[in-house]
Amino acid sequence: MSLDPETARQIEELSRDLRPLLVLDVDDVLIEFIRPFPNYLKSRGYELRLETFRLHGNIYDTATDRPVERELASELIDGFYASQADWQTMTAGAAEALDGFAGAAEIVLLTAMPHRHRDTRRRHLRSLGLAYPLLTTEAPKGPAIEALRGPAARPVAFVDDMPNNLASVGRHVPDAHLFHLMADNSLRELMPPPAEGIQVVRDWPDAAPRIARALGI
Ligand SMILES: [Mg+2]
């Protein structure tokens, strides 16, 4: 899969930075998703039963006790993103960790969500004190980070809770340092062990020194 053209346009707006590059996923890395999402569903008469590590197929209509169709699940997820400021709070330790990098790295946030939610998310992140550039992508993350790094051979670190995103970046930027961070570590039981070369971190205080080492900052 190639680079999402809208993501390419967003990358063009950034100044060409030569510092080490730190790219961060947003949901369940910087702000909570999997803990507030069930509360949002409940407020609308649905519930999340995470039997596998995916949303589709695991959202149930409380009244009928049946899983909802794919289209309704997508609508519910969309509604959550539209009202994210009401639900999504900061992941513990994230702000302190990023403050600790204090300008030594270029920090960019890369979120896999429809582009139409970019402004809402940007406003929400700013209100939480996370005023870093935010890119949205509707395609795999690997090509986006390859483009973001640019021609400079600078170190790259990438943090995400979704193994498929880490794998995509590993394919496109083979020397990137990959970190698997999950706001809710209990979900690790629902997924296979991480692929070789991926560093598992338990939380932000664990991640921060490892990221600094990887980036040489
Ligand atoms: Mg995520």
Side-chain angles (χ1 to χ4, degrees):
M1 292 277 286
S2 54
L3 179 58
D4 180 325
E6 167 57 20
T7 312
R9 194 196 62 75
Q10 296 173 8
I11 291 170
E12 280 303 311
E13 290 179 341
L14 298 178
S15 59
R16 285 276 169 232
D17 202 310
L18 297 174
R19 290 174 293 174
L21 175 63
L22 173 57
V23 185
L24 305 170
D25 174 41
V26 176
D27 286 307
D28 278 335
V29 166
L30 286 181
I31 58 177
E32 301 261 350
F33 178 92
I34 207 67
R35 282 193 275 247
F37 186 60
N39 301 332
Y40 155 85
L41 287 179
K42 207 168 160 188
S43 75
R44 280 160 177 73
Y46 301 92
E47 61 185 281
L48 184 65
R49 300 180 195 165
L50 271 189
E51 280 138 23
T52 51
F53 187 66
R54 60 204 294 274
L55 299 178
H56 283 282
N58 287 329
I59 298 173
Y60 284 73
D61 186 327
T62 309
T64 63
D65 206 37
R66 291 169 60 87
V68 304
E69 298 292 337
R70 192 169 181 87
E71 197 176 317
L72 177 54
S74 296
E75 276 173 32
L76 287 165
I77 295 165
D78 206 66
F80 181 74
Y81 282 136
S83 61
Q84 59 185 280
D86 298 335
W87 301 99
Q88 296 195 269
T89 55
M90 191 106 82
T91 308
E96 295 82 351
L98 298 193
D99 286 348
F101 299 133
E106 179 188 19
I107 298 174
V108 179
L109 316 184
L110 176 61
T111 192
M113 65 164 38
H115 301 300
R116 65 180 176 279
H117 294 306
R118 187 184 186 205
D119 284 341
T120 304
R121 172 145 283 187
R122 206 152 38 173
R123 272 197 303 278
H124 181 43
L125 291 171
R126 286 234 171 94
S127 78
L128 294 172
L130 296 167
Y132 301 98
L134 172 73
L135 309 177
T136 48
T137 185
E138 298 179 9
K141 292 190 174 182
I145 295 186
E146 190 180 10
L148 195 53
R149 178 193 225 172
R154 52 184 178 148
V156 176
F158 172 56
V159 187
D160 205 297
D161 64 311
M162 303 288 264
N164 60 321
N165 291 336
L166 293 163
S168 168
V169 175
R171 278 193 298 277
H172 288 266
V173 186
D175 63 334
H177 299 271
L178 306 174
F179 296 90
H180 189 214
L181 185 144
M182 304 190 83
D184 182 351
N185 282 295
S186 68
L187 297 177
R188 292 186 189 278
E189 290 167 17
L190 297 176
M191 54 176 60
E196 208 179 319
I198 293 175
Q199 297 195 47
V200 172
V201 287
R202 297 296 297 178
D203 51 25
W204 271 106
D206 179 22
R210 296 216 236 170
I211 292 169
R213 246 190 331 271
L215 292 178
I217 58 176

